Amino acid sequence: MSSIESATDLDPVVLPAIPPVHLTNGQVATLQVADRLQRGKQIVGRFETSGLAGFKIASQGRPLRVKMALSMDDVSVSGWHDGRIAGPALPRFVQIRSQGRLRQCVVLKGRNPHARVAFDLAADEIPDDGLICVEALDIMEGDGISQDVRDALRGRVAQDGVAGLRLDKIVFEEPPEKDFDPDTLDGCRCETSSFISAGGLANVNRQGPRILRCGMLVVNPVLPDTFGSGERLTLRLGTKAEPVSVIPANWRRVKGELRWLRHATRKLLGAGAPTVEKVFSLRDGDLGAPEVTTKGNIAELSLPGATGAPLLVLLGRCGGVTPVLESALSRS
């Protein structure tokens, strides 16, 4: 359902909100347009499917920084709004666009994953009426996405990936004069900073390596002067065997023990590094053979900075173990 309403001379004039603006519910006049977004009371809203939200913000001729908090829960399934429940088992791949341009992408999978998005809008991207539009689109929709990317993702990601997606919070504020971030960041904090999206985190305060259960990750364009804004990036990838203790005490536990022993042996022999299948620019397609350097059990993937469009990294199968993002290095 859409809630786009036409304005008449009898409608009250809605003044644009003055930054900083922190919105955590959809029952406010600042949210002017809700297309396939059901407004919430404790969240901004929930997308029925690929949709759009429009906010009236007074930028006063200055740039704005937009920060979003997204999540999934038990209601994040196709057909939730009309009773046709069908939950996708595959990961969701969602584009976040604003003012008609692709800004970042998020990959979400698992139970109650959370993701963050952050981008800047230049002053000339904000119209005089202050209407800022934010779209959430499935990766198979819209223009500007390479057909190579869509072909590679077909069958790997869920259809209608935006269905039931929660927009928990959105913030509009003036960009600070300068940010500071370290040169190296661990896998989990790469995701909470919006630089990497690899399935979403259930605990956004977690630190350390990030397990890549989706078999893919997205490297996003980031804010100026923040981690990941350098000209070259290096992702440090490893592998991890599932703990035997979490497997039921039956034949699957025996298989789990054998898998763990095989992984331990491969690490002992220095042959436990994951493989990288392909690297794509979402806009330009296949970037050619990945630049990977293997050092024992670690694979270091060298990438150009994701300044123009997000980069998609597809990982190969790891023989019964799970690839892990150990850390990332950003260089100017």
Side-chain angles (χ1 to χ4, degrees):
M1 291 181 291
S2 301
S3 56
I4 300 178
E5 299 178 359
S6 59
T8 70
D9 292 339
L10 299 179
D11 291 323
V13 175
V14 177
L15 297 177
I18 300 175
V21 179
H22 294 246
L23 298 180
T24 55
N25 76 84
Q27 308 299 315
V28 291
T30 303
L31 177 54
Q32 285 281 283
V33 181
D35 182 11
R36 288 175 290 185
L37 174 85
Q38 290 202 4
R39 298 169 184 255
K41 294 183 178 179
Q42 296 181 329
I43 61 174
V44 177
R46 188 188 294 273
F47 289 98
E48 297 174 7
T49 183
S50 294
L52 174 148
F55 304 88
K56 198 166 185 178
I57 307 294
S59 69
Q60 299 175 331
R62 291 172 293 187
L64 283 179
R65 177 156 296 177
V66 183
K67 296 180 180 179
M68 303 170 61
L70 305 168
S71 67
M72 285 168 30
D73 57 16
D74 293 339
V75 189
S76 300
V77 290
S78 296
W80 65 272
H81 57 286
D82 56 15
R84 298 181 295 103
I85 302 300
L90 295 172
R92 299 162 180 252
F93 201 123
V94 179
Q95 309 171 56
I96 302 299
R97 300 188 179 216
S98 182
Q99 309 303 73
R101 283 184 50 203
L102 174 62
R103 306 293 172 167
Q104 291 189 337
C105 290
V106 295
V107 179
L108 293 168
K109 182 176 173 61
R111 188 172 181 82
N112 302 324
H114 294 255
R116 292 175 179 173
V117 174
F119 57 89
D120 284 348
L121 292 174
D124 59 5
E125 293 183 289
I126 305 171
D128 293 339
D129 62 5
L131 185 63
I132 297 175
C133 294
V134 177
E135 297 175 87
L137 295 181
D138 184 83
I139 190 61
M140 299 300 176
E141 299 185 43
D143 55 10
I145 302 297
S146 168
Q147 189 59 44
D148 290 345
V149 173
R150 288 177 169 159
D151 291 342
L153 289 175
R154 193 165 283 111
R156 286 186 180 232
V157 297
Q159 298 180 1
D160 195 14
V162 188
L165 180 69
R166 291 165 47 118
L167 175 53
D168 294 326
K169 181 179 181 179
I170 188 165
V171 175
F172 301 90
E173 61 187 12
E174 293 183 24
E177 292 185 4
K178 190 173 181 62
D179 290 319
F180 174 78
D181 273 308
D183 294 332
T184 304
L185 213 59
D186 65 54
C188 286
R189 285 185 291 176
C190 282
E191 187 150 21
T192 54
S193 71
S194 84
F195 165 58
I196 293 281
S197 186
L201 290 167
N203 179 2
V204 296
N205 295 316
R206 185 174 179 179
Q207 298 183 15
R210 172 69 170 104
I211 298 176
L212 306 175
R213 299 189 189 280
C214 296
M216 69 181 75
L217 59 88
V218 176
V219 181
N220 280 310
V222 294
L223 302 171
D225 301 316
T226 62
F227 181 85
S229 60
E231 296 179 0
R232 298 296 299 178
L233 306 168
T234 300
L235 304 185
R236 198 167 186 266
L237 303 167
T239 53
K240 177 180 175 63
E242 295 292 345
V244 175
S245 60
V246 303
I247 303 173
N250 51 28
W251 66 272
R252 281 183 293 180
R253 178 166 184 172
V254 174
K255 290 183 68 176
E257 289 176 343
L258 292 174
R259 185 166 61 244
W260 186 88
L261 288 172
R262 284 198 302 268
H263 180 252
T265 302
R266 291 183 67 193
K267 292 193 72 173
L268 185 64
L269 297 175
T275 58
V276 179
E277 285 185 358
K278 289 281 189 180
V279 178
F280 296 90
S281 162
L282 265 64
R283 180 188 61 196
D284 302 323
D286 193 345
L287 295 183
E291 298 181 37
V292 180
T293 302
T294 302
K295 299 178 180 178
N297 301 310
I298 298 296
E300 293 188 349
L301 172 63
S302 180
L303 297 169
T307 54
L311 304 177
L312 169 64
V313 178
L314 297 181
L315 303 174
R317 296 185 180 277
C318 295
V321 295
T322 306
V324 173
L325 174 62
E326 299 279 353
S327 61
L329 172 68
S330 176
R331 301 189 303 274
S332 300

